[in-house]
């Protein structure tokens, strides 16, 4: 499996959603860390939805 971003060997597949669209991307560990780090401020204040989501406060 290769990184969709860099073409290097990928370590993991990351799934995420934007609007009503769902995405998956193969990334190296460093790329995945960068993506998750960039999203962290938004994830911290967002509401989780779907299976496994916590009840609304």
């Amino acid at each position: 499996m290769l990184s969709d971003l860099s073409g290097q060997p990928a370590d993991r597949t990351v799934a995420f959603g934007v609007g009503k669209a769902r995405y998956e991307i193969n990334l190296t560990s460093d790329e995945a860390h960068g993506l998750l780090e960039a999203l962290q401020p938004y994830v911290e204040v967002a509401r989780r939805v779907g299976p496994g989501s916590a009840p609304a406060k």
Side-chain angles (χ1 to χ4, degrees), residues 11-33:
D11 301 302
R12 62 188 290 193
T13 300
V14 177
F16 61 97
V18 177
K20 293 184 179 182
R22 297 279 304 148
Y23 300 91
E24 284 188 345
I25 187 168
N26 299 329
L27 298 171
T28 66
S29 292
D30 286 344
E31 293 165 348
H33 177 76

Side-chain angles (χ1 to χ4, degrees), residues 2 5-6 9 15 23 28-29 37 41 43-44 47 51 55:
L2 297 177
L5 188 61
S6 65
Y23 300 91
T28 66
S29 292
E37 189 174 76
V43 171
E44 286 179 8
R47 292 173 299 281

Side-chain angles (χ1 to χ4, degrees), residues 40-52:
Q40 190 58 34
Y42 303 95
V43 171
E44 286 179 8
V45 297
R47 292 173 299 281
R48 190 170 179 179
V49 296

